[in-house]
Amino acid sequence: EPEVTQTPSHQVTQMGQEVILRCVPISNHLYFYWYRQILGQKVEFLVSFYNNEISEKSEIFDDQFSVERPDGSNFTLKIRSTKLEDSAMYFCASNLGRGWDGYTFGSGTRLTVV
Amino acid sequence: AQTVTQSQPEMSVQEAETVTLSCTYDTSESDYYLFWYKQPPSRQMILVIRQEAYKQQNATENRFSVNFQKAAKSFSLKISDSQLGDAAMYFCAYDGTQGGSEKLVFGKGMKLTVNP
């Protein structure tokens, strides 16, 4: 069964450093998403991406965050200058279309900012 | 804005028994999708079941079924013949189809424990 692949599975970074989280969505999917889950809390939407541009972003997704689909297969989330409160599980997801078969999630990247 | 409420933070069930997880949501849309996701200790988000709001028939997937009450904005998940592997966090989620919103809105989740 096709999977959404995320790397790395765990990243530790110093506060103020830049991090790039990587995702390979399912190849024929058209919509791509990043969500985050702070430990013990609910899953929160960050950004959606369609047709090579951001289609929606949340209040969390401020100027420190950016997304890119550099080569038609990878989908990256960059955090420019990490803060302690960015520590969370970051999930990439993709789907074919609105509600179509649900959203397929990757296994997540656990980001720890120290 | 749409909201999803899971009022029970934790539940437990005996192996082989049936348990029902509750979820309510608030929306002004008439067409939307509802989902239940399972998050085991590995923290991967796994789709359990999906319901389209325009379908009156409740969705079923093997031991998992939903009770979708559109007028009441209620979407509960029933797990029959509970297994130890069902132990996980369960998240109810909403996906609207109107107003340009393109995201899942999750509830806070509910931790299910399955006792042998």
Side-chain angles (χ1 to χ4, degrees), chain A residues 10 40 76 84 87 92 99-100 104 108:
Chain A
H10 190 191
T76 61
L84 294 176
S87 295
C92 175
W100 187 274
T104 304

Side-chain angles (χ1 to χ4, degrees), chain A residues 8-59:
Chain A
S9 57
H10 190 191
Q11 180 150 2
V12 181
T13 189
Q14 295 264 343
M15 190 169 57
Q17 294 294 305
E18 175 183 287
V19 294
I20 297 176
L21 310 184
R22 302 181 192 279
C23 169
V24 179
I26 294 173
S27 60
N28 63 337
H29 282 187
L30 302 175
Y31 294 80
F32 314 110
Y33 309 84
W34 284 100
Y35 290 80
R36 81 171 184 190
Q37 184 184 30
I38 294 171
L39 187 63
Q41 298 187 25
K42 70 176 177 180
V43 182
E44 300 173 292
F45 168 77
L46 290 178
V47 65
S48 59
F49 193 86
Y50 171 71
N51 201 25
N52 282 321
E53 60 183 20
I54 291 174
S55 48
E56 186 175 355
K57 59 184 181 179
S58 71
E59 293 173 353

Side-chain angles (χ1 to χ4, degrees), chain A residues 31 33 35 37-39 41-43 45 48 55-56 89 91 98-103 105-107 110, chain B residues 4 33 35 37 39 42-45 47 50 91 95-98 100-109:
Chain A
Y31 294 80
Y33 309 84
Y35 290 80
Q37 184 184 30
I38 294 171
L39 187 63
Q41 298 187 25
K42 70 176 177 180
V43 182
F45 168 77
S48 59
S55 48
E56 186 175 355
M89 196 77 166
F91 291 102
R98 300 300 309 287
W100 187 274
D101 282 342
Y103 295 62
F105 282 80
S107 53
R110 184 189 299 269
Chain B
V4 177
Y33 301 90
F35 304 90
Y37 278 89
Q39 188 180 44
S42 66
R43 298 194 74 183
Q44 175 140 22
M45 298 292 287
L47 177 65
R50 169 178 175 266
F91 292 92
D95 180 16
T97 62
Q98 298 164 11
S101 177
E102 300 177 13
K103 59 180 180 287
L104 279 177
V105 176
F106 284 88
K108 288 187 177 180

